[in-house]
Amino acid sequence: FLPHLVAAMEEVEETYIMVKPDGVQRGLVGEIISRFEKKGFLLKGLKLFQCPKELAEEHYKDLKDKPFFPKLIDYITSGPVVCMAWEGVGVVASARKLIGATNPFQAEPGTIRGDLAVQTGRNVVHGSDSPENGKREIALWFKEGELCSWVPVQAPWLRE
Ligand code: UDP
Ligand code: MG
């Protein structure tokens, strides 16, 4: 219906963003959600969730041979996480920029990790690294009925 929305749909991507257990314990959930909300991305799914070990292992399966893998699984399952699905044009790369480098000491000020974290093993947030992984991870962490498609009133004020 709105021409700018239809034009944008071709480029629309989805990314899986997660506030890790340290972010939840430190009271950073609202702050982290705000960064994506204010940027202008569309929230499609959101829940507080205690991650089972099997899911953590599946999510991080590409890292299973790394020496830090067991500690990573302990970390991700150590308390509730906040799972989010965000949609937008270029949202995958843009979210990675908002999140900052994996090592918070290398993350630029202004990024979530640059502003809010000090250690790679406690870097408060996850973001998918490709559109393919965005789809894979959203399907892994959410059931179909947990995702909403909606048009926010601000849509025409975000894209010309
Ligand atoms: N990680 C770690 N030690 C390392 C590298 C990574 O504990 O040397 C953890 C860290 O929590 C990181 C996650 O494993 O966020 C996944 O690693 P990846 O390289 O995919 O970084 P990301 O995509 O999260 O920036
Ligand atoms: Mg990664």
Side-chain angles (χ1 to χ4, degrees):
F1 41 90
L2 296 170
H4 59 276
L5 283 177
V6 175
M9 269 165 66
E10 289 156 35
E11 313 153 68
V12 159
E13 295 173 355
E14 293 173 325
T15 193
Y16 176 66
I17 302 294
M18 174 169 69
V19 183
K20 294 178 177 179
D22 50 335
V24 176
Q25 292 289 349
R26 292 176 54 208
L28 299 174
V29 171
E31 163 89 32
I32 292 171
I33 293 175
S34 269
R35 305 268 178 132
F36 298 97
E37 209 176 26
K38 287 175 187 165
K39 173 73 176 170
F41 295 129
L42 178 66
L43 183 62
K44 307 212 53 192
L46 173 69
K47 66 179 176 186
L48 185 72
F49 182 64
Q50 174 61 54
C51 174
K53 192 168 186 235
E54 300 69 37
L55 178 58
E57 287 170 346
E58 178 63 23
H59 174 77
Y60 281 123
K61 66 180 179 191
D62 292 349
L63 301 173
K64 70 174 188 301
D65 298 327
K66 302 281 185 193
F68 58 82
F69 187 74
K71 273 172 73 178
L72 174 59
I73 299 307
D74 285 349
Y75 165 43
I76 294 303
T77 58
S78 64
V81 295
V82 171
C83 310
M84 289 175 267
W86 289 92
E87 181 184 280
V89 176
V91 69
V92 174
S94 184
R96 296 276 293 185
K97 277 192 194 165
L98 292 177
I99 288 170
T102 304
N103 181 343
F105 270 120
Q106 271 138 31
E108 294 295 330
T111 65
I112 295 169
R113 287 167 173 167
D115 289 349
L116 305 175
V118 294
Q119 213 189 9
T120 302
R122 295 287 184 270
N123 60 5
V124 303
V125 65
H126 165 83
S128 308
D129 62 7
S130 67
E132 296 68 40
N133 276 334
K135 280 195 168 54
R136 178 184 83 88
E137 292 169 4
I138 289 170
L140 199 57
W141 289 85
F142 286 99
K143 298 179 196 128
E144 219 175 274
E146 292 176 332
L147 299 168
C148 297
S149 283
W150 56 292
V151 180
V153 290
Q154 60 171 317
W157 300 101
L158 279 165
R159 301 186 60 80
E160 59 177 11

